[in-house]
Amino acid sequence: EDQVTQSPEALRLQEGESSSLNCSYTVSGLRGLFWYRQDPGKGPEFLFTLYSAGEEKEKERLKATLTKKESFLHITAPKPEDSATYLCAVPQAPGSGNTGKLIFGQGTTLQVKP
Amino acid sequence: KAGVTQTPRYLIKTRGQQVTLSCSPISGHRSVSWYQQTPGQGLQFLFEYFSETQRNKGNFPGRFSGRQFSNSRSEMNVSTLELGDSALYLCASSPRTGSNQPQHFGDGTRLSIL
């Protein structure tokens, strides 16, 4: 069964304290892995797409990497405005009728204190 | 470019009533997916519409239904509301169905059942 697991569930950092969030997945025929950021009361905001093992994407203080079994979201020198829930998702395994469905992890809630 | 627009943002209903939620996708996007988000279950896929046809359906009862119009706008309907239907309902759009491109989300409709 397709599954996405994120860890840790919650993470508290001091401003400037770098760390990494983990997303492990089991899906046959991976067609991409997506990272989103969600602020309270808002919908998920798209951050990155990774398609193949070894691929990396960067945006400001965030860098996403992908291996054959997991992805990491590295946060370098975070600021309080980076506080949010970070979600990763993969498309459902390809097959008849399997379209439009993303399988999400439970998310990591990050709090960055000044 | 305008993002995904969902209306209304908030709804309060009582058990047994029905509700209709609306979603306008990003201009040019023809695939619309719906998700239910709750603290316990996270983001769960409801269904996907493309070219006015339901292409995929999640594991939800028949009380949950949807449709898509020729301009790609979509609505979802929940009949005979139950307390457990209280959730954030999110709509996401992408250019086409069956692709490995990311979905872009609206800010959702917060549905509360009394």
Side-chain angles (χ1 to χ4, degrees):
Chain A
E1 181 185 350
D2 301 338
Q3 196 167 5
V4 176
T5 304
Q6 291 187 245
S7 62
E9 288 186 15
L11 183 62
R12 289 184 178 182
L13 299 173
Q14 288 296 130
E15 185 172 1
E17 180 186 2
S18 301
S19 188
S20 296
L21 282 55
N22 177 265
C23 170
S24 62
Y25 59 89
T26 53
V27 62
S28 56
L30 183 71
R31 295 181 294 151
L33 184 142
F34 308 118
W35 280 99
Y36 289 88
R37 167 192 171 129
Q38 186 173 24
D39 293 299
K42 299 279 191 176
E45 174 191 354
F46 170 70
L47 293 173
F48 303 110
T49 304
L50 301 165
Y51 287 112
S52 56
E55 188 175 1
E56 297 182 353
K57 293 277 181 71
E58 283 190 69
K59 180 181 180 180
E60 296 180 358
R61 295 175 293 282
L62 300 176
K63 183 169 81 171
T65 62
L66 181 66
T67 71
K68 289 186 177 179
K69 292 186 177 181
E70 58 191 349
S71 177
F72 293 93
L73 185 64
H74 307 279
I75 303 177
T76 302
K79 298 182 178 181
E81 52 262 42
D82 295 322
S83 297
T85 296
Y86 291 85
L87 297 160
C88 72
V90 298
Q92 186 180 19
S96 178
N98 289 357
T99 63
K101 177 179 177 179
L102 293 180
I103 300 167
F104 280 85
Q106 290 293 96
T108 294
T109 299
L110 172 66
Q111 183 180 28
V112 181
K113 294 188 173 182
Chain B
K1 200 173 188 182
V4 176
T5 303
Q6 292 189 246
T7 56
R9 287 298 314 278
Y10 304 94
L11 267 178
I12 299 176
K13 293 286 186 180
T14 57
R15 282 181 299 170
Q17 288 187 309
Q18 73 169 18
V19 67
T20 300
L21 313 181
S22 180
C23 171
S24 294
I26 292 172
S27 178
H29 284 196
R30 297 172 59 202
S31 169
V32 173
S33 295
W34 289 88
Y35 295 84
Q36 180 195 67
Q37 186 174 31
T38 58
Q41 298 297 316
L43 277 134
Q44 300 287 314
F45 173 78
L46 283 156
F47 28 64
E48 184 218 13
Y49 284 87
F50 178 78
S51 291
E52 302 176 63
T53 302
Q54 187 180 93
R55 301 289 176 148
N56 195 3
K57 190 177 190 307
N59 188 25
F60 279 83
R63 301 185 295 108
F64 292 81
S65 63
R67 59 178 176 169
Q68 186 181 35
F69 303 95
S70 58
N71 61 358
S72 296
R73 192 177 69 85
S74 178
E75 289 181 346
M76 69 163 281
N77 183 275
V78 189
S79 62
T80 319
L81 287 165
E82 300 177 359
L83 292 177
D85 297 333
S86 293
L88 180 66
Y89 289 88
L90 293 161
C91 165
S93 74
S94 62
R96 58 190 181 278
T97 189
S99 75
N100 57 0
Q101 292 182 303
Q103 297 176 7
H104 297 271
F105 286 80
D107 284 336
T109 295
R110 171 73 62 184
L111 176 62
S112 299
I113 311 302
L114 303 179

